[in-house]
Amino acid sequence: MRDAYVMGAGQSPFGSFPEETYLTLFDEAFDSALDSVEGDFSPDMIEEAYLGTLGVGGRQLGLSGPAVTEHVGLHGIPTTRVENACAASGYAFRQAITAVRSGMVDVALAGGYEVMTDASSDHTRWWLGVSGQTEWERTSGTTFAGVYAQMASAHMEQYDTTVEDLSRVAVKNHGNGAQNPKAHLGFECSLDDAVSAPPVADPLNLYHCCPTTDGASAVVVASEDVAKEYDDAPVRVAGTGASSGKVGLFQRESLTSIPASVRAGEDAYEAAGIGPEDLDFAEVHDCFAIAELLAYEDLGFCDRGEAGRLLREGVTDPDGELPTNTSGGLKSKGHPIGATGTGQIVEAFEQLRGEAHVQVDDPRYGLAHNVGGSGGGVTVHILEREEAA
């Protein structure tokens, strides 16, 4: 099986853009990805595309993927729309990797797009709710904030996690996002701001929840021969893992872990031949503050119940042992559902090339963790910076 490499990656700004459409946002992300490729790369080399979107608001539910590739000038290439809720483009990236590794194509495009801010808050909540368990949880009135609030309450009861621990996620990620010009909520906040924010679903408050966001992201994936023709130190896909889980929270044995994250992480580490101790940075799925704490534990960054300690001791700060969500994460950078997974790959790619806005010192391995819903589908990808030949 061949290796796959990330040749280029880029995104649009994330935020609220009433004048933009999913087509124009993806156009900007695609141009950004092409601009990041070393050398004189032609988009005509792209042979297939995999694009993630949920379709918030119901716009162009059918054939939105081909509409996007035709719009950016990739005429006639096979295009597959991938829908796995918030993990849509994490899975799209996995499909592009598989296509390249299998030898079916030499260059593939992965990406995602979403427009979320042009609908009313009630309408948007309805569309987000379709990614939850619809037969019991959704019809009983449960929202995603409510589902993650149950996780947070269970973690606080079982491990003495505090509201201050949850709030430190917001403080850290807003600090990082304030340095990212493409972040939706690019401002800093204090611990007091985050602790005392208005409640959303107890114990989660406004600063513990990511925003609804418009945006797009794109990644060019290529075989080793093609990648090294353009870059003598390309970014290799060292390992990838994915897993499905029970969609409903009530169906799970524990509220303090996402089993699909555990399995996807284990598979990615095994494929890469490394462990969590070898990582230099990570982008994890912090749709709610508790989700970042769960990711620390599910991905082996620490033992069960120790996630709050990592935040208190600054382990995941930009200058800590394992900087996490240097992009600002979903909390500050934003969460345009379909664009989030490959948006994480953009940050990992830029980190490994030494071009990130909050740059880690000389990284070799980075991890990207993308969760669909409350854990019904998860991808984990590990990227590696190769040394120049």
Side-chain angles (χ1 to χ4, degrees), residues 1 33 43 49 78 84 117 133 140 147 152 163 167 174 186 245 260-261 268 278 284 289 318 334 346 368-369 375 388:
M1 185 172 63
N84 248 0
T117 65
Q133 203 281 343
S140 67
V147 167
V163 171
S167 299
H174 273 283
S261 290
D278 298 305
V284 303
V346 173
H369 161 253

Side-chain angles (χ1 to χ4, degrees), residues 182-203:
K182 293 187 175 180
H184 187 171
L185 303 179
F187 55 83
E188 295 183 358
C189 74
S190 68
L191 185 59
D192 183 62
D193 291 333
V195 168
S196 60
V200 173
D202 188 59

Side-chain angles (χ1 to χ4, degrees), residues 87-107:
S89 60
Y91 274 89
F93 183 57
R94 177 180 169 85
Q95 292 302 105
I97 293 166
T98 301
V100 169
R101 284 179 169 176
S102 70
M104 185 173 72
V105 300
D106 287 318
V107 184

Side-chain angles (χ1 to χ4, degrees), residues 145 148-154 156 163 166 195 199-205 208:
Y148 277 94
Q150 293 176 65
M151 294 179 177
S153 295
M156 294 168 83
V163 171
L166 298 174
V195 168
V200 173
D202 188 59
L204 301 179
N205 66 37
H208 302 150

Side-chain angles (χ1 to χ4, degrees), residues 10-33:
Q11 65 166 78
S12 72
F14 284 4
S16 177
F17 307 111
E19 302 303 317
E20 301 290 346
T21 69
Y22 73 98
L23 297 173
T24 61
L25 287 167
F26 191 80
D27 198 8
E28 188 167 358
F30 182 63
D31 286 346
S32 178

Side-chain angles (χ1 to χ4, degrees), residues 24-383:
T24 61
L25 287 167
F26 191 80
D27 198 8
E28 188 167 358
F30 182 63
D31 286 346
S32 178
L34 294 182
D35 288 345
S36 73
V37 179
E38 298 285 346
D40 187 21
F41 175 81
S42 170
D44 292 340
M45 295 180 64
I46 297 172
E47 301 166 87
E48 189 140 355
Y50 301 90
L51 302 174
T53 187
L54 176 63
V56 173
R59 67 184 55 74
Q60 195 59 47
L61 282 178
L63 297 177
S64 67
V68 163
T69 49
E70 284 292 319
H71 181 77
V72 300
L74 299 178
H75 304 302
I77 70 167
T79 302
T80 301
R81 173 195 168 187
V82 180
E83 189 284 294
N84 248 0
C86 317
S89 60
Y91 274 89
F93 183 57
R94 177 180 169 85
Q95 292 302 105
I97 293 166
T98 301
V100 169
R101 284 179 169 176
S102 70
M104 185 173 72
V105 300
D106 287 318
V107 184
L109 178 69
Y113 46 88
E114 210 76 63
V115 173
M116 304 178 69
T117 65
D118 64 345
S120 70
S121 58
D122 286 345
H123 195 57
T124 301
R125 278 196 296 272
W126 189 91
W127 273 99
L128 293 177
V130 302
S131 300
Q133 203 281 343
T134 57
E135 186 176 7
W136 297 103
E137 286 183 346
R138 184 178 170 210
T139 54
S140 67
T142 303
T143 64
F144 271 123
V147 167
Y148 277 94
Q150 293 176 65
M151 294 179 177
S153 295
H155 204 277
M156 294 168 83
E157 180 177 348
Q158 187 168 348
Y159 299 118
D160 295 324
T161 304
T162 67
V163 171
E164 285 78 9
D165 293 331
L166 298 174
S167 299
R168 285 185 177 89
V169 173
V171 173
K172 172 179 66 68
N173 292 352
H174 273 283
N176 293 336
Q179 300 182 62
N180 184 350
K182 293 187 175 180
H184 187 171
L185 303 179
F187 55 83
E188 295 183 358
C189 74
S190 68
L191 185 59
D192 183 62
D193 291 333
V195 168
S196 60
V200 173
D202 188 59
L204 301 179
N205 66 37
L206 186 64
Y207 272 83
H208 302 150
C209 308
C210 72
T212 54
T213 304
D214 306 331
S217 55
V219 179
V220 180
V221 182
S223 66
E224 182 174 10
D225 288 345
V226 173
K228 291 188 174 179
E229 184 179 333
Y230 289 85
D231 189 345
D232 63 353
V235 173
R236 185 174 77 96
V237 180
T240 182
S243 179
S244 298
K246 294 176 179 177
V247 175
L249 189 62
F250 72 94
Q251 299 169 304
R252 301 177 198 165
E253 294 181 3
S254 170
L255 302 187
T256 59
S257 173
I258 296 177
S261 290
V262 176
R263 290 189 291 266
E266 289 173 346
D267 287 350
Y269 290 135
E270 182 178 1
I274 66 167
E277 68 279 1
D278 298 305
L279 296 172
D280 298 297
F281 66 90
E283 288 285 303
V284 303
H285 197 94
D286 61 319
C287 50
F288 298 92
I290 184 59
E292 180 159 331
L293 274 73
L294 297 182
Y296 292 175
E297 297 172 7
D298 288 337
L299 297 172
F301 299 174
C302 63
D303 292 334
R304 294 287 169 194
E306 293 292 306
R309 176 186 61 79
L310 295 194
L311 288 157
R312 293 191 295 272
E313 295 180 358
V315 173
T316 55
D317 286 351
D319 58 355
E321 296 173 25
L322 183 54
T324 301
N325 286 340
T326 50
S327 68
L330 285 62
K331 177 64 197 75
S332 174
K333 183 183 176 184
H335 184 26
I337 301 292
T340 290
T342 39
Q344 294 175 325
I345 301 300
V346 173
E347 177 69 13
F349 177 74
E350 291 178 350
Q351 281 287 355
L352 294 171
R353 296 225 304 198
E355 299 169 352
H357 297 291
V358 179
Q359 182 60 49
V360 173
D361 184 32
D362 195 31
R364 181 179 178 187
Y365 289 107
L367 175 146
H369 161 253
N370 190 201
V371 178
S374 61
V378 176
T379 62
V380 175
H381 304 293
I382 297 173
L383 303 187

